[in-house]
Amino acid sequence: MPNEKIEQIAKIIVNSAFKVHKELGPGLLEKVYEACLVYEITKAGFEVKRQVEVPIIYDGVTLKEYLKLDIIVENSIIIEVKAVDIVNPVWNAQIISHLKLTNNELGFLINFNVPLIKNGIKRFINTK
């Protein structure tokens, strides 16, 4: 289970997603939601990076390919932002893989293209 600090950040992330969705509603491009979400989380005092390239280390070798993370908060929590009508189940597996490859504990898949944002937020824990 994520520690107390991670849980506090997670709460801010969820609250920020609610705020952005309430302000903008569904129907915009992913990059708009991503930018606004980053703004809200940063405003809350956390370090946030967008479109982060993470090197892939396989069999002890750093490859020339990268994972691209939509958002990473405090170098601890990964957020994948979507604005789609139907969530592809492979994105769930993608978040879990990203958590394992980055050795982070917690990730979110947030789809803003929903009438109620609570139905668009999915939380993932890296069980390692």
Side-chain angles (χ1 to χ4, degrees):
M1 280 303 282
N3 66 37
E4 191 176 320
K5 181 183 180 203
I6 297 293
E7 289 296 350
Q8 287 176 325
I9 298 167
K11 193 176 202 177
I12 296 293
I13 290 168
V14 170
N15 289 342
S16 296
F18 270 84
K19 187 171 184 180
V20 169
H21 191 268
K22 182 179 180 188
E23 187 70 31
L24 301 177
L28 300 173
L29 295 173
E30 286 175 17
K31 68 181 182 178
V32 174
Y33 296 113
E34 183 180 306
C36 294
L37 187 58
V38 165
Y39 171 78
E40 287 296 334
I41 299 166
T42 302
K43 197 167 78 169
F46 296 103
E47 179 191 6
V48 186
K49 297 176 190 165
R50 282 180 74 188
Q51 297 301 314
V52 178
E53 288 186 345
V54 178
I56 297 171
I57 300 169
Y58 178 78
D59 196 28
V61 176
T62 302
L63 304 176
K64 293 181 183 180
E65 293 297 319
Y66 294 88
L67 294 174
K68 196 159 212 176
L69 308 176
D70 285 351
I71 300 172
I72 188 160
V73 181
E74 292 286 314
N75 290 315
S76 300
I77 302 174
I78 295 170
I79 306 170
E80 184 69 26
V81 177
K82 298 294 180 194
V84 295
D85 290 332
I86 299 170
V87 173
N88 189 327
V90 78
W91 295 329
N92 297 336
Q94 179 186 20
I95 292 277
I96 293 164
S97 294
H98 285 182
L99 288 172
K100 287 179 181 175
L101 290 169
T102 60
N103 207 27
N104 286 309
E105 278 186 86
L106 188 61
F108 287 94
L109 175 61
I110 303 176
N111 180 21
F112 284 92
N113 202 33
V114 292
L116 296 171
I117 191 63
K118 71 176 186 173
N119 297 331
I121 299 174
K122 227 174 156 186
R123 176 183 161 120
F124 297 86
I125 295 176
N126 183 3
T127 56
K128 301 178 186 174

